[in-house]
Amino acid sequence: MILFGASGHAKVIIDILEKSGMEVDFLVDADSSVSELQSYLVKNESDYVSTKSDELIISIGSNKIRKRIAESLNAQFGWAIHPTAVLGDDVSVGQGTVMMAGTVVNSSTNIGHHSIINTNASVDHDCDLKDYVHVSPNSTLCGSVSVGEGSHIGAGATVIPNITIGKWVTIGAGAVVIKDVPDFAVVVGNPGRIIRYNDREA
């Protein structure tokens, strides 16, 4: 597996791959001063040309950057799912998606491509998460929640059942979402309230 991005997020993915018995070939990063991470070789982005035979995960936390890189690469994308993650039998997980330690994803849930389900996050039954979503540590999506492309659910946030969250939304850490959220909104607090809107350029 090749990892694109050599920072803290990559360290966690390396740990998942190692614990899963998967081989890390090398990493790629735009920072030419980085030559090694966790004893693995880091190649400069300018020296790497992707091919369809490469199996790769984009190990970058930013949803927008993951999307930009995914659309620019000519590669197949793998998965990194921690051995302690719990998945329902009929859960669908998109390519390039990473699931950290202690995550729980319950029955009839769809996780899109290049998403992050972070440490101890809980995604309950019948949820639908689109591509490039990040569900942060210790956050909870109750049943039948829909999350649009590129949205970020902050650490410790809670979304009650049957809520629709639009695309490129930011839900702040610890927020409690009790009503639908429109595209690009930034929501904080308990109960969650919109304080502004994100840039519409994804």
Side-chain angles (χ1 to χ4, degrees), residues 4 48-56 69-77:
F4 202 106
Y48 172 70
V49 179
S50 61
T51 69
K52 284 191 177 294
S53 64
D54 290 345
E55 189 173 19
L56 186 146
I69 292 173
E71 291 176 345
S72 71
L73 291 175
N74 178 33
Q76 59 179 325
F77 295 99

Side-chain angles (χ1 to χ4, degrees), residues 111-129:
I111 308 294
H113 301 302
H114 304 289
S115 292
I116 301 168
I117 311 299
N118 220 315
T119 310
N120 291 326
S122 175
V123 181
D124 219 307
H125 65 88
D126 296 291
C127 287
D128 183 26
L129 281 59

Side-chain angles (χ1 to χ4, degrees), residues 80-128:
I81 299 177
H82 196 280
T84 63
V86 178
L87 279 70
D89 289 339
D90 56 349
V91 169
S92 173
V93 180
Q95 291 181 315
T97 286
V98 177
M99 303 182 71
M100 309 306 191
T103 56
V104 177
V105 180
N106 279 325
S107 180
S108 302
T109 287
N110 175 67
I111 308 294
H113 301 302
H114 304 289
S115 292
I116 301 168
I117 311 299
N118 220 315
T119 310
N120 291 326
S122 175
V123 181
D124 219 307
H125 65 88
D126 296 291
C127 287
D128 183 26

Side-chain angles (χ1 to χ4, degrees), residues 1 3 13-22 24 79-80:
M1 187 77 72
L3 300 185
I13 297 175
I14 288 170
D15 182 63
I16 293 170
L17 294 173
E18 290 178 339
K19 283 182 168 59
S20 302
M22 299 177 67
V24 179
W79 296 263

